[in-house]
mmCIF file of all heavy atoms in Angstrom:
data_model
loop_
_atom_site.group_PDB
_atom_site.id
_atom_site.type_symbol
_atom_site.label_atom_id
_atom_site.label_comp_id
_atom_site.label_asym_id
_atom_site.label_seq_id
_atom_site.Cartn_x
_atom_site.Cartn_y
_atom_site.Cartn_z
ATOM 1 N N SER A 33 -19.469 15.820 1.060
ATOM 2 C CA SER A 33 -18.296 16.436 1.677
ATOM 3 C C SER A 33 -18.662 17.815 2.228
ATOM 4 O O SER A 33 -18.124 18.244 3.246
ATOM 5 C CB SER A 33 -17.154 16.534 0.676
ATOM 6 O OG SER A 33 -17.535 17.279 -0.456
ATOM 7 N N ARG A 48 -12.477 15.626 0.741
ATOM 8 C CA ARG A 48 -12.388 14.809 -0.496
ATOM 9 C C ARG A 48 -10.949 14.401 -0.774
ATOM 10 O O ARG A 48 -10.663 13.256 -1.118
ATOM 11 C CB ARG A 48 -12.959 15.598 -1.675
ATOM 12 C CG ARG A 48 -14.447 15.870 -1.546
ATOM 13 C CD ARG A 48 -15.096 16.143 -2.890
ATOM 14 N NE ARG A 48 -14.572 17.311 -3.559
ATOM 15 C CZ ARG A 48 -14.934 18.572 -3.290
ATOM 16 N NH1 ARG A 48 -15.843 18.818 -2.348
ATOM 17 N NH2 ARG A 48 -14.418 19.571 -3.968
ATOM 18 N N ASN A 52 -9.519 10.571 -0.750
ATOM 19 C CA ASN A 52 -8.993 10.045 -2.015
ATOM 20 C C ASN A 52 -7.578 9.516 -1.923
ATOM 21 O O ASN A 52 -7.092 8.883 -2.868
ATOM 22 C CB ASN A 52 -9.096 11.094 -3.100
ATOM 23 C CG ASN A 52 -10.452 11.017 -3.754
ATOM 24 O OD1 ASN A 52 -11.385 11.702 -3.356
ATOM 25 N ND2 ASN A 52 -10.575 10.110 -4.709
ATOM 26 N N GLY A 56 -11.592 5.904 -3.975
ATOM 27 C CA GLY A 56 -12.751 6.715 -4.320
ATOM 28 C C GLY A 56 -13.995 6.152 -3.669
ATOM 29 O O GLY A 56 -14.670 5.299 -4.225
ATOM 30 N N GLY A 58 -16.689 7.814 -2.712
ATOM 31 C CA GLY A 58 -17.920 8.556 -2.946
ATOM 32 C C GLY A 58 -18.480 8.341 -4.347
ATOM 33 O O GLY A 58 -17.980 7.543 -5.134
ATOM 34 N N GLY A 61 -22.740 13.380 -7.443
ATOM 35 C CA GLY A 61 -24.161 13.689 -7.344
ATOM 36 C C GLY A 61 -24.855 13.078 -6.140
ATOM 37 O O GLY A 61 -26.017 13.366 -5.866
ATOM 38 N N TYR A 64 -21.276 10.429 -0.024
ATOM 39 C CA TYR A 64 -20.704 9.212 0.543
ATOM 40 C C TYR A 64 -21.770 8.452 1.320
ATOM 41 O O TYR A 64 -22.590 9.047 2.011
ATOM 42 C CB TYR A 64 -19.533 9.562 1.468
ATOM 43 C CG TYR A 64 -18.406 10.282 0.779
ATOM 44 C CD1 TYR A 64 -18.443 11.667 0.631
ATOM 45 C CD2 TYR A 64 -17.309 9.590 0.255
ATOM 46 C CE1 TYR A 64 -17.415 12.346 -0.015
ATOM 47 C CE2 TYR A 64 -16.288 10.260 -0.386
ATOM 48 C CZ TYR A 64 -16.343 11.634 -0.523
ATOM 49 O OH TYR A 64 -15.330 12.295 -1.167
ATOM 50 P P DT D 6 -28.513 22.177 -6.406
ATOM 51 O OP1 DT D 6 -29.297 22.408 -5.182
ATOM 52 O OP2 DT D 6 -27.584 23.208 -6.937
ATOM 53 O "O5'" DT D 6 -27.684 20.828 -6.206
ATOM 54 C "C5'" DT D 6 -28.392 19.614 -5.986
ATOM 55 C "C4'" DT D 6 -27.400 18.481 -5.960
ATOM 56 O "O4'" DT D 6 -26.844 18.278 -7.275
ATOM 57 C "C3'" DT D 6 -26.208 18.732 -5.035
ATOM 58 O "O3'" DT D 6 -26.124 17.623 -4.155
ATOM 59 C "C2'" DT D 6 -25.003 18.841 -5.962
ATOM 60 C "C1'" DT D 6 -25.462 18.031 -7.168
ATOM 61 N N1 DT D 6 -24.877 18.375 -8.494
ATOM 62 C C2 DT D 6 -24.371 17.352 -9.272
ATOM 63 O O2 DT D 6 -24.368 16.181 -8.927
ATOM 64 N N3 DT D 6 -23.875 17.752 -10.488
ATOM 65 C C4 DT D 6 -23.833 19.044 -10.991
ATOM 66 O O4 DT D 6 -23.359 19.262 -12.101
ATOM 67 C C5 DT D 6 -24.374 20.062 -10.129
ATOM 68 C C7 DT D 6 -24.370 21.486 -10.580
ATOM 69 C C6 DT D 6 -24.863 19.680 -8.925
ATOM 70 P P DT D 7 -25.262 17.623 -2.873
ATOM 71 O OP1 DT D 7 -25.867 16.676 -1.917
ATOM 72 O OP2 DT D 7 -24.961 19.022 -2.490
ATOM 73 O "O5'" DT D 7 -23.926 16.985 -3.442
ATOM 74 C "C5'" DT D 7 -23.944 15.629 -3.862
ATOM 75 C "C4'" DT D 7 -22.620 15.339 -4.510
ATOM 76 O "O4'" DT D 7 -22.565 15.975 -5.815
ATOM 77 C "C3'" DT D 7 -21.413 15.871 -3.726
ATOM 78 O "O3'" DT D 7 -20.523 14.833 -3.483
ATOM 79 C "C2'" DT D 7 -20.815 16.907 -4.645
ATOM 80 C "C1'" DT D 7 -21.226 16.352 -6.003
ATOM 81 N N1 DT D 7 -21.133 17.300 -7.131
ATOM 82 C C2 DT D 7 -20.668 16.809 -8.320
ATOM 83 O O2 DT D 7 -20.385 15.643 -8.503
ATOM 84 N N3 DT D 7 -20.555 17.749 -9.324
ATOM 85 C C4 DT D 7 -20.856 19.099 -9.227
ATOM 86 O O4 DT D 7 -20.707 19.814 -10.203
ATOM 87 C C5 DT D 7 -21.346 19.546 -7.947
ATOM 88 C C7 DT D 7 -21.690 20.990 -7.742
ATOM 89 C C6 DT D 7 -21.444 18.643 -6.975
ATOM 90 P P DT D 8 -19.291 15.024 -2.498
ATOM 91 O OP1 DT D 8 -19.654 14.438 -1.198
ATOM 92 O OP2 DT D 8 -18.791 16.406 -2.537
ATOM 93 O "O5'" DT D 8 -18.274 14.054 -3.217
ATOM 94 C "C5'" DT D 8 -18.729 12.781 -3.636
ATOM 95 C "C4'" DT D 8 -18.094 12.411 -4.961
ATOM 96 O "O4'" DT D 8 -18.339 13.461 -5.915
ATOM 97 C "C3'" DT D 8 -16.579 12.238 -4.864
ATOM 98 O "O3'" DT D 8 -16.235 10.915 -5.249
ATOM 99 C "C2'" DT D 8 -15.997 13.285 -5.806
ATOM 100 C "C1'" DT D 8 -17.176 13.714 -6.661
ATOM 101 N N1 DT D 8 -17.193 15.156 -7.012
ATOM 102 C C2 DT D 8 -16.904 15.526 -8.301
ATOM 103 O O2 DT D 8 -16.606 14.719 -9.172
ATOM 104 N N3 DT D 8 -16.963 16.876 -8.546
ATOM 105 C C4 DT D 8 -17.296 17.874 -7.648
ATOM 106 O O4 DT D 8 -17.332 19.055 -8.004
ATOM 107 C C5 DT D 8 -17.574 17.424 -6.308
ATOM 108 C C7 DT D 8 -17.929 18.437 -5.259
ATOM 109 C C6 DT D 8 -17.516 16.104 -6.052
ATOM 110 P P DG D 9 -14.839 10.309 -4.737
ATOM 111 O OP1 DG D 9 -14.968 8.835 -4.766
ATOM 112 O OP2 DG D 9 -14.406 10.994 -3.509
ATOM 113 O "O5'" DG D 9 -13.883 10.766 -5.917
ATOM 114 C "C5'" DG D 9 -14.007 10.174 -7.195
ATOM 115 C "C4'" DG D 9 -13.028 10.826 -8.145
ATOM 116 O "O4'" DG D 9 -13.333 12.240 -8.242
ATOM 117 C "C3'" DG D 9 -11.556 10.729 -7.708
ATOM 118 O "O3'" DG D 9 -10.814 10.384 -8.872
ATOM 119 C "C2'" DG D 9 -11.246 12.142 -7.188
ATOM 120 C "C1'" DG D 9 -12.164 13.014 -8.011
ATOM 121 N N9 DG D 9 -12.646 14.250 -7.388
ATOM 122 C C8 DG D 9 -13.040 14.437 -6.083
ATOM 123 N N7 DG D 9 -13.455 15.656 -5.833
ATOM 124 C C5 DG D 9 -13.335 16.317 -7.043
ATOM 125 C C6 DG D 9 -13.642 17.670 -7.389
ATOM 126 O O6 DG D 9 -14.087 18.566 -6.681
ATOM 127 N N1 DG D 9 -13.357 17.924 -8.734
ATOM 128 C C2 DG D 9 -12.869 16.998 -9.631
ATOM 129 N N2 DG D 9 -12.664 17.428 -10.871
ATOM 130 N N3 DG D 9 -12.583 15.734 -9.317
ATOM 131 C C4 DG D 9 -12.835 15.469 -8.019
ATOM 132 P P DT D 10 -9.235 10.226 -8.848
ATOM 133 O OP1 DT D 10 -8.870 9.219 -9.844
ATOM 134 O OP2 DT D 10 -8.806 10.073 -7.436
ATOM 135 O "O5'" DT D 10 -8.736 11.641 -9.380
ATOM 136 C "C5'" DT D 10 -9.271 12.130 -10.615
ATOM 137 C "C4'" DT D 10 -8.648 13.464 -10.930
ATOM 138 O "O4'" DT D 10 -9.356 14.510 -10.223
ATOM 139 C "C3'" DT D 10 -7.182 13.595 -10.515
ATOM 140 O "O3'" DT D 10 -6.485 14.250 -11.537
ATOM 141 C "C2'" DT D 10 -7.245 14.429 -9.263
ATOM 142 C "C1'" DT D 10 -8.413 15.355 -9.618
ATOM 143 N N1 DT D 10 -9.047 16.034 -8.467
ATOM 144 C C2 DT D 10 -9.536 17.306 -8.660
ATOM 145 O O2 DT D 10 -9.485 17.885 -9.727
ATOM 146 N N3 DT D 10 -10.107 17.880 -7.560
ATOM 147 C C4 DT D 10 -10.227 17.321 -6.288
ATOM 148 O O4 DT D 10 -10.760 17.945 -5.383
ATOM 149 C C5 DT D 10 -9.696 15.991 -6.152
ATOM 150 C C7 DT D 10 -9.758 15.301 -4.829
ATOM 151 C C6 DT D 10 -9.132 15.418 -7.234
ATOM 152 P P DT D 11 -4.898 14.063 -11.682
ATOM 153 O OP1 DT D 11 -4.615 12.885 -12.509
ATOM 154 O OP2 DT D 11 -4.267 14.196 -10.339
ATOM 155 O "O5'" DT D 11 -4.544 15.379 -12.501
ATOM 156 C "C5'" DT D 11 -5.566 16.060 -13.249
ATOM 157 C "C4'" DT D 11 -5.445 17.545 -12.996
ATOM 158 O "O4'" DT D 11 -6.191 17.918 -11.810
ATOM 159 C "C3'" DT D 11 -4.011 18.025 -12.778
ATOM 160 O "O3'" DT D 11 -3.751 19.109 -13.644
ATOM 161 C "C2'" DT D 11 -3.978 18.416 -11.306
ATOM 162 C "C1'" DT D 11 -5.418 18.851 -11.081
ATOM 163 N N1 DT D 11 -5.870 18.807 -9.657
ATOM 164 C C2 DT D 11 -6.576 19.878 -9.160
ATOM 165 O O2 DT D 11 -6.840 20.869 -9.818
ATOM 166 N N3 DT D 11 -6.959 19.746 -7.849
ATOM 167 C C4 DT D 11 -6.706 18.669 -7.003
ATOM 168 O O4 DT D 11 -7.107 18.686 -5.853
ATOM 169 C C5 DT D 11 -5.956 17.586 -7.598
ATOM 170 C C7 DT D 11 -5.618 16.395 -6.766
ATOM 171 C C6 DT D 11 -5.578 17.704 -8.873
ATOM 172 P P DA D 12 -2.307 19.827 -13.672
ATOM 173 O OP1 DA D 12 -1.900 19.999 -15.087
ATOM 174 O OP2 DA D 12 -1.422 19.130 -12.707
ATOM 175 O "O5'" DA D 12 -2.677 21.256 -13.074
ATOM 176 C "C5'" DA D 12 -3.902 21.897 -13.429
ATOM 177 C "C4'" DA D 12 -4.009 23.148 -12.599
ATOM 178 O "O4'" DA D 12 -4.468 22.798 -11.268
ATOM 179 C "C3'" DA D 12 -2.683 23.886 -12.419
ATOM 180 O "O3'" DA D 12 -2.954 25.275 -12.545
ATOM 181 C "C2'" DA D 12 -2.233 23.461 -11.027
ATOM 182 C "C1'" DA D 12 -3.564 23.315 -10.309
ATOM 183 N N9 DA D 12 -3.580 22.397 -9.157
ATOM 184 C C8 DA D 12 -3.020 21.146 -9.059
ATOM 185 N N7 DA D 12 -3.216 20.558 -7.898
ATOM 186 C C5 DA D 12 -3.959 21.487 -7.187
ATOM 187 C C6 DA D 12 -4.500 21.465 -5.873
ATOM 188 N N6 DA D 12 -4.361 20.451 -5.035
ATOM 189 N N1 DA D 12 -5.191 22.564 -5.481
ATOM 190 C C2 DA D 12 -5.326 23.584 -6.330
ATOM 191 N N3 DA D 12 -4.878 23.721 -7.576
ATOM 192 C C4 DA D 12 -4.197 22.619 -7.946
#
Side-chain angles (χ1 to χ4, degrees):
Chain A
S33 58
R48 295 202 298 279
N52 273 92
Y64 300 85

